[in-house]
């Protein structure tokens, strides 16, 4: 067997290409203007699962995940750069915002036991790469400079536009929201900007052969994926909302550059809902990993919750589900600590289930049955083998730990510093506490701590 995943383009499960030196995976990364919510984290976990299954079965994986720190516009008719909007709200430099949320993104991934990607290229540091491919698209007449000095991709020049999402050009009527902005500068309503002219914008702009400006979001991923992974990308991953227009546009750009199908398999994770509704700021139901920790749950309980649902089904998360997963996790760890350990080899049944399009709910069912089977002397072995993909730290000992005197003192000092609004002291104390093995979260009821 080898790993099969559901390919959005062909609408069928496909074998992942494993015939080359390494399997090349590109996962669209976060836009770092705010904390990633647990929905975003579900999508990032998908890349980790694919990677872990491939590595467990002896493949080398190269995974690149970009950091979008410029050019991702707000989805309202004003179309403003999300980074600049947030920077003006926080009254600070957009690059400071970007680095702050990028660091938090890495911290969240590490708490969720996601193996770091091999590279996290930043859009703002890949501008020359983008200029190069925009120039190529202009030279091949797949792009043009509009009357507003922006460079646009000519969507009608790419025959199979719409194949991923099923949105054919004929059905993309004018009047689409992007229409308002360019005011007729585009030749065709479905064309999109590769390079946007700076206009009045002062920050996050670069010189270019077409004048000062900034890149469009879609060209970023084409430039970074082709440069860092090369002309063959085996799996390209993102949330379902990226199918259109982001991946559709990316495919058109990249295919033109490499003169063939640039991506072998398009993998999309379905959305996470929270308590029945789409997670969004306007619904006031955004949940962060920090909130999960602040309620005293192991962040890996969230990982287990995600695994209890298939990646391509919409999933409704609740606090009760996280609590139940937390209980299961503790019970499994305690039992595994007591069960007899044999040498870890492979488990064909587990591989059969997981390689079938990452059927993690079935894996969990399988493990629950193994757990109950008193006659099975390989229970710990099977669980620990599966954990190489599940990533739940099932071999972690649940020893009772108590705070040391110095940790208690530091917590008290930090409480005081926060009450007296001495923020830099409180930041310094947080660093010391975290270095000592604690995770600190600030909530409306004051600071909370847990063990890392
Ligand atoms: P962003 O930081 O907004 O660029 O999104 C990062 C990733 O999270 C993208 O792959 C999105 O498709 C994905 N995403 C956004 N919302 C959700 C959600 N509610 N559930 C799962 N994935 C999501
Ligand atoms: Zn992307």
């Amino acid at each position: 067997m080898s790993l099969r995943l559901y390919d959005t383009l062909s609408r069928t499960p496909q074998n992942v290409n494993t015939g080359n030196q390494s399997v090349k995976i590109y996962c669209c990364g976060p836009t770092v203007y705010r904390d990633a919510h647990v929905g975003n984290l579900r999508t990032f976990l998908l890349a980790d699962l694919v990677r872990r299954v491939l590595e467990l079965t002896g493949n080398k994986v190269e995974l690149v995940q970009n950091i979008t720190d410029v050019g991702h516009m707000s989805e309202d008719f004003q179309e403003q750069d999300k980074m600049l909007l947030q920077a003006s709200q926080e009254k600070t430099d957009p690059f400071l915002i970007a680095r702050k949320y990028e660091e938090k993104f890495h911290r969240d991934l590490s708490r969720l036991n996601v193996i770091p990607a091999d590279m996290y290229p930043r859009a703002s540091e890949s501008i020359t790469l983008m200029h190069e491919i925009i120039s190529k698209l202009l030279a091949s007449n797949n792009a043009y400079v509009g009357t507003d000095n922006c460079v646009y991709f000519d969507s009608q020049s790419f025959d199979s536009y719409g194949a991923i999402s099923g949105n054919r050009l004929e059905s993309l009527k004018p009047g689409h929201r992007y229409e308002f902005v360019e005011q007729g500068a585009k030749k065709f309503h479905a064309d999109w900007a590769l390079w946007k002219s700076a206009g009045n914008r002062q920050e996050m702009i670069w010189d270019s052969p077409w004048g000062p400006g900034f890149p469009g979001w879609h060209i970023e991923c084409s430039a970074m994926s082709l440069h860092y992974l090369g002309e063959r990308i085996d799996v390209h991953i993102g949330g379902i909302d990226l199918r259109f227009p982001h991946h559709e546009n990316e495919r058109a750009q990249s295919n033109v550059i490499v003169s063939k199908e640039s991506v072998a398999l398009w993998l999309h994770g379905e959305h996470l809902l929270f308590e029945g509704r789409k997670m969004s700021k306007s619904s006031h139901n955004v949940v962060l990993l920090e909130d999960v920790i602040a309620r005293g749950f192991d962040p890996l309980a969230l990982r287990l919750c995600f695994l209890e649902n298939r990646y391509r089904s919409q999933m409704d998360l609740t606090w009760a589900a996280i609590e139940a997963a937390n209980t299961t996790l503790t019970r499994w760890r305690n039992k595994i600590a007591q069960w007899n350990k044999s040498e870890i080899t492979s488990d064909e049944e587990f591989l059969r289930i997981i390689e079938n399009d990452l059927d993690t709910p079935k894996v969990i069912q399988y493990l629950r049955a193994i757990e109950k089977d008193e006659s099975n002397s390989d229970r710990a072995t099977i669980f620990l083998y599966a954990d190489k993909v599940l990533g739940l730290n099932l071999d972690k000992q649940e020893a009772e730990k108590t705070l040391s005197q110095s940790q208690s003192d530091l917590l008290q000092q930090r409480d005081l510093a926060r009450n007296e609004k001495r923020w830099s002291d409180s930041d310094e104390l947080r660093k010391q506490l975290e270095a000592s093995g604690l995770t600190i979260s600030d909530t409306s009821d004051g600071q909370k701590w847990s063990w890392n």
Side-chain angles (χ1 to χ4, degrees):
M1 274 281 284
S2 64
L3 179 58
R4 286 173 79 71
L5 297 171
Y6 186 85
D7 170 36
T8 314
L9 179 62
S10 63
R11 291 160 178 73
T12 52
Q14 299 283 350
N15 283 334
V16 174
N17 259 331
T18 51
N20 299 292
Q21 248 193 358
S22 62
V23 182
K24 302 193 182 206
I25 306 177
Y26 186 85
C27 179
C28 290
T31 308
V32 284
Y33 68 106
R34 49 126 173 83
D35 284 302
H37 58 55
V38 293
N40 304 129
L41 296 178
R42 183 186 189 208
T43 298
F44 302 148
L45 178 68
L46 179 56
D48 190 54
L49 290 180
V50 174
R51 165 196 221 137
R52 282 171 178 263
V53 173
L54 288 165
E55 288 185 341
L56 185 63
T57 48
N59 299 288
K60 184 172 170 328
V61 170
E62 274 179 82
L63 170 64
V64 172
Q65 183 167 33
N66 68 295
I67 302 288
T68 299
D69 57 358
V70 63
H72 193 166
M73 311 310 263
S74 64
E75 276 107 30
D76 52 27
F77 73 97
Q78 291 183 334
E79 268 226 305
Q80 282 178 291
D81 192 316
K82 292 184 179 190
M83 297 301 314
L84 296 187
L85 267 178
Q86 187 65 24
S88 82
Q89 271 170 26
E90 292 193 29
K91 296 192 175 47
T92 182
D93 181 84
F95 283 104
L96 286 180
I97 302 272
R99 299 298 90 89
K100 172 170 120 181
Y101 289 110
E102 184 181 329
E103 200 180 313
K104 293 180 94 176
F105 156 75
H106 288 302
R107 194 164 68 178
D108 281 349
L109 289 198
S110 139
R111 285 170 170 173
L112 266 191
N113 229 354
V114 168
I115 300 173
D118 299 272
M119 276 199 87
Y120 291 101
R122 295 172 179 146
S124 65
E125 292 169 0
S126 311
I127 303 294
T128 313
L129 296 178
M130 298 181 213
H131 288 169
E132 282 168 14
I133 70 168
I134 295 171
S135 298
K136 284 187 192 163
L137 294 171
L138 281 164
S140 63
N141 283 327
N142 294 95
Y144 60 92
V145 180
T147 51
D148 55 358
N149 290 328
C150 297
V151 184
Y152 293 100
F153 189 95
D154 177 355
S155 54
Q156 289 164 297
S157 74
F158 183 68
D159 283 348
S160 64
Y161 188 82
I164 300 180
S165 59
N167 284 318
R168 294 292 174 169
L169 281 178
E170 316 79 80
S171 55
L172 287 172
K173 293 271 184 293
H176 190 262
R177 59 192 155 85
Y178 302 120
E179 266 326 88
F180 301 108
V181 192
E182 286 92 0
Q183 292 164 343
K186 293 192 288 187
K187 290 192 205 156
F188 187 68
H189 57 87
D191 297 350
W192 63 91
L194 304 171
W195 185 258
K196 300 195 190 201
S197 166
N200 298 328
R201 176 165 157 156
Q202 307 280 334
E203 294 169 292
M204 287 190 150
I205 52 172
W206 291 262
D207 279 334
S208 83
W210 317 283
F214 58 101
W217 176 34
H218 317 304
I219 198 70
E220 299 178 359
C221 283
S222 281
M224 290 184 267
S225 63
L226 294 178
H227 181 74
Y228 293 108
L229 291 172
E231 296 197 350
R232 188 202 85 242
I233 292 155
D234 297 308
V235 189
H236 191 124
I237 304 176
I240 194 79
D241 56 311
L242 298 193
R243 253 182 333 184
F244 180 83
H246 186 55
H247 286 166
E248 210 64 86
N249 295 0
E250 227 189 293
R251 174 173 172 265
Q253 297 157 172
S254 298
N255 282 16
V256 165
I257 295 289
V258 303
S259 309
K260 61 181 171 86
E261 201 62 62
S262 53
V263 169
L265 201 156
W266 290 95
L267 182 68
H268 290 103
E270 252 297 349
H271 269 171
L272 179 81
L273 310 181
F274 193 76
E275 295 179 336
R277 284 175 311 153
K278 182 179 153 71
M279 191 173 284
S280 71
K281 261 189 189 165
S282 53
S283 307
H284 303 290
N285 66 348
V286 167
V287 175
L288 308 182
L289 190 57
E290 271 177 46
D291 301 324
V292 174
I293 296 168
R295 290 194 179 215
F297 299 124
D298 187 322
L300 296 181
L302 180 70
R303 187 168 168 127
L304 177 54
C305 270
F306 289 157
L307 295 168
E308 284 170 334
N309 294 269
R310 189 79 166 272
Y311 76 89
R312 59 185 166 91
S313 308
Q314 237 182 33
M315 165 180 175
D316 189 14
L317 187 68
T318 60
W319 286 116
I322 301 177
E323 186 171 5
N326 200 71
T327 307
T328 306
L329 196 58
T330 310
R331 188 181 72 243
W332 280 355
R333 285 178 181 159
N334 287 336
K335 285 189 172 177
I336 288 164
Q338 288 156 20
W339 284 335
N340 167 54
K341 310 277 178 318
S342 43
E343 204 39 48
I344 296 189
T345 52
S346 85
D347 176 18
E348 293 305 317
E349 181 61 4
F350 166 72
L351 285 180
R352 194 185 61 74
I353 305 172
I354 197 80
E355 287 192 322
N356 175 23
D357 198 15
L358 303 174
D359 196 348
T360 54
K362 210 163 181 184
V363 166
I364 304 296
Q365 254 178 33
Y366 167 66
L367 291 179
R368 287 185 192 279
I370 300 274
E371 179 188 3
K372 290 197 188 106
D373 181 3
E374 304 277 337
S375 68
N376 189 334
S377 57
D378 291 329
R379 283 187 288 182
T381 311
I382 294 170
F383 267 80
L384 294 178
Y385 182 73
D387 200 34
K388 289 177 186 232
V389 173
L390 305 185
L392 297 171
N393 287 354
L394 292 178
D395 55 353
K396 189 167 138 187
Q397 293 290 335
E398 292 290 311
E400 252 326 292
K401 287 201 254 177
T402 48
L403 287 178
S404 68
Q405 188 58 50
S406 83
Q407 284 172 321
S408 306
D409 292 347
L410 288 170
L411 281 168
Q412 260 183 18
Q413 286 171 31
R414 188 163 181 276
D415 231 0
L416 195 65
R418 280 170 47 79
N419 285 338
E420 294 173 357
K421 302 198 181 341
R422 285 183 283 112
W423 304 122
S424 65
D425 289 351
S426 129
D427 282 349
E428 180 49 39
L429 288 159
R430 171 202 280 271
K431 278 193 193 138
Q432 292 180 32
L433 284 159
E434 292 191 334
S436 80
L438 297 185
T439 297
I440 308 294
S441 320
D442 293 320
T443 72
S444 45
D445 305 332
Q447 69 176 355
K448 298 260 182 314
W449 63 269
S450 60
W451 294 102
N452 274 336

